[in-house]
Amino acid sequence: MGSLVTISDAIDGWMYSNLLFWALIVAGLFFTIRTKFVQIRLFPEGIRVLMEKSHDGGISSFQALMIATASRVGTGNIAGIATAIVAGGPGAVFWMWIMAIVGAASAFIESTLAQIYKQKDGEIFKGGPAYYIERAMKARWLGVIFAILLILTFAFGFNGLQAYNIASSLEHYAGDNYAAAALIVGVILAGVSAILFFGGAQKISTVSSVLVPIMASVYILIGIIITLSHVKDLPAIFSMIFEEAFDFEAIFGGFAGSCMVWGVKRGLFSNEAGMGSAPNAAAAADVSHPVKQGLVQVISVFIDTLIICTTTVFIVLCTGKYTVGGELNGIPLVQESVKSMFGEIGVGIITVSVALFAFTSLIGNYFYAEANIKFISESKAFMTIFRLLAVVMVFIGANSNLQLAWNLADIIMGGMAIVNIIAMFCLGGIAIRALNNYVKQREEGINPVFKAKDIGLDNTDLWK
């Protein structure tokens, strides 16, 4: 196990500091400029679109948003951000914020493309990078590679990690009996996951649309209470974040472990902008124009990072329970931070929050993986085998190793993101033409309706 952790550490560090870090920054900046800051310019329009109902009883923009947010808003918002602060220092927070704002433009491009090239799947729609890579780039082989990477990332890597975080949230209570508790948690999670995994997309969207707003509201309320109780400390906290964010000697002295890389890495894990995951949910929405769901996915990135991740930031920094490189890390650090103000009941609240965050991530992650299994093969037997393996991985994850789990999830996610970034650079012009078409119709005072031929496309299944 020690050797695996060492090797995965080395691969993880190289990939993010030498390749993915720069690819994400360049993609985000490029699409921010090409779309004329669509993530800020049309943010109010995204809020308006969010209230629209689906056309034919399919998955609405709001439900698709909740599925995407269910996957984005997971234990990465709690454990991941706490880990980033401990490993990279408070300066990592600033780079996490920047990554969200810049990366939201990439989220818009990939989600709009997913809508343009979506396909009918019974009563709902399916789509995502694998689908637009195959249809628009005429490269099914690359689409299959992406699909495999996404399945490994979400159904096995991330779901194993989420299951681990649910189990680790009970460490405070289990003590020396943690191994037995993790075993029990693994069995329970696997059983509940099986019910949802075999229940279909509509059930997943319904559960997500109910649980996500509840869990996010409770967690944010805790953060607000703690922050307001430490208002006098806020100037010093912001000063510390900005000073450490621009400590260039520290950044370039050990780049792979710097606050900049930690902020980008954990920000990517949390909001998934440009990674190619959220488009799988975006494609499922029933909307009149692809750009509508692109704008809605921008909102999902902001909810995830600027609101929920920032809640964790202030919980940890206001209570002062962290030390850079200290023993307290991840979920235990957040639990102790909340405990300092709310006592044991605070630990209980965080434990429940972690369980809900991770559980909704489990079902959101599965939704993504299922769409890509269908891309590879429509065989019912193949799907059944995949569902069973996904359930088994939930059980295994609850009993895994923290560092190895994070490293493997980071590495596979990085490979998936690279494939999607290449596709976005190749196809981004299509999404921008769709954006211009949308803006033109809005300026004419009409509810935008998309027709592929209006932007010169004849290779879509829908939008005729």
Side-chain angles (χ1 to χ4, degrees), residues 34 228 265 299 310 333 347 447:
R34 285 291 308 276
L228 291 177
K265 185 160 63 173
I299 295 171
T310 300
L333 171 57
V347 178
N447 181 38

Side-chain angles (χ1 to χ4, degrees), residues 156-210:
F156 302 114
F158 285 2
N159 269 3
L161 183 56
Q162 299 297 354
Y164 170 83
N165 281 322
I166 292 175
S168 70
S169 70
L170 298 175
E171 186 175 358
H172 177 83
Y173 300 101
D176 294 336
N177 298 315
Y178 174 70
L183 192 66
I184 294 170
V185 168
V187 171
I188 294 172
L189 280 177
V192 177
S193 295
I195 294 171
L196 285 169
F197 292 175
F198 283 87
Q202 200 67 46
K203 181 176 289 187
I204 287 174
S205 67
T206 301
V207 171
S208 296
S209 64
V210 173

Side-chain angles (χ1 to χ4, degrees), residues 307-320:
I307 297 178
I308 300 177
C309 286
T310 300
T311 298
T312 299
V313 168
F314 286 112
I315 286 175
V316 171
L317 295 183
C318 285
T319 54

Side-chain angles (χ1 to χ4, degrees), residues 323-356:
T323 54
V324 176
E327 291 184 7
L328 275 178
N329 202 345
I331 301 296
L333 171 57
V334 180
Q335 286 177 322
E336 285 301 314
S337 296
V338 175
K339 182 181 177 181
S340 68
M341 183 163 179
F342 292 93
E344 281 296 327
I345 191 172
V347 178
I349 292 172
I350 292 300
T351 300
V352 172
S353 295
V354 167
L356 285 175

